[in-house]
Amino acid sequence: MNRMNAYEGSLLHFFRSIHGNTVSADQFIVNHVIRVPNPKYPTEEELKTLKDFTDAAKLTKTLDIPSHLLDISRRKNNQNPFALAIIKTMIPDSDYVKRNSDGVLFSFKDILQVNYKKYNYELKGKEFIKSKNLAVISSFLHPEGETFEVSQDGSISNPDLLLTEGDFTKNKIENMLPLDYQLGD
């Protein structure tokens, strides 16, 4: 049961789905995401003004900070310079997978959001059944334009070049599963 819960919806499961051409059938939802400037984050000019004031305050030991500079400082510390924007939902795997005689290749210039509706398995008597409790897991893959070869066992070439965020970075127990693991083993 623990193996089943670790595998289903994992990065390993996703790459096996890519290799097997079953991303949609396995119920992964993949969206195209881009980074956009966050309008709440201070502008370069505001950041320069804040830095100039900070440098001057260190020399003069000024403790009185004007309110507009406090606002810039708060926005700098509480906001990210970029926000993520979904520009296309439920994209086909042909947007990020190329299949040829050499194998299966995974590549994308921007960011992929991978969502999965996960129901954990429970033991009822002697049977494993999916629970009724739904958890939507969401992850982001940043291929950064790199191309990765996807093997049948769900591993990829140069995995250290693929940046992941979200649920794919959390529970890495699926990496301890046997290479030939199949759901239900």
Side-chain angles (χ1 to χ4, degrees):
M1 174 176 66
N2 291 338
R3 286 180 171 191
M4 295 164 66
N5 288 332
Y7 175 75
E8 194 163 87
S10 68
L11 185 62
L12 177 65
H13 184 194
F14 179 66
F15 278 121
R16 283 187 179 178
S17 295
I18 285 176
H19 189 276
N21 200 13
T22 60
V23 172
S24 292
D26 288 345
Q27 300 181 355
F28 285 100
I29 298 168
V30 182
N31 301 319
H32 181 174
V33 175
I34 60 169
R35 278 190 182 101
V36 294
N38 181 352
K40 294 179 181 176
Y41 191 77
T43 64
E44 288 297 320
E45 184 178 313
E46 289 174 318
L47 290 172
K48 183 178 179 339
T49 302
L50 181 62
K51 183 181 180 329
D52 291 346
F53 176 81
T54 304
D55 291 345
K58 285 179 187 174
L59 294 174
T60 62
K61 304 208 187 298
T62 303
L63 297 177
D64 189 24
I65 304 170
S67 62
H68 74 285
L69 292 176
L70 281 173
D71 176 59
I72 294 170
S73 179
R74 258 188 242 110
R75 288 185 290 129
K76 178 184 176 214
N77 293 327
N78 296 329
Q79 296 289 327
N80 289 320
F82 294 95
L84 297 179
I86 297 174
I87 60 170
K88 190 174 178 188
T89 59
M90 298 174 33
I91 62 174
D93 68 349
S94 59
D95 284 5
Y96 54 91
V97 177
K98 302 294 179 251
R99 300 175 195 288
N100 58 37
S101 60
D102 295 334
V104 178
L105 303 175
F106 169 76
S107 183
F108 199 67
K109 66 180 172 92
D110 294 317
I111 302 167
L112 291 174
Q113 179 189 42
V114 181
N115 296 323
Y116 187 78
K117 292 179 182 176
K118 182 171 180 150
Y119 295 89
N120 281 323
Y121 287 91
E122 298 174 343
L123 186 60
K124 293 277 180 155
K126 293 185 178 185
E127 278 187 58
F128 293 114
I129 62 164
K130 285 188 175 185
S131 74
K132 293 181 180 9
N133 299 330
L134 169 67
V136 177
I137 57 175
S138 185
S139 300
F140 296 93
L141 298 176
H142 303 259
E144 308 280 332
E146 295 287 335
T147 299
F148 303 88
E149 185 174 350
V150 181
S151 67
Q152 184 176 1
D153 65 14
S155 59
I156 60 170
S157 60
N158 302 320
D160 54 325
L161 296 179
L162 180 65
L163 300 174
T164 59
E165 284 185 90
D167 287 294
F168 282 165
T169 63
K170 291 180 182 172
N171 188 359
K172 299 308 260 173
I173 293 294
E174 82 264 10
N175 292 336
M176 296 169 58
L177 294 171
L179 290 176
D180 61 350
Y181 177 78
Q182 295 298 318
L183 190 62
D185 285 353

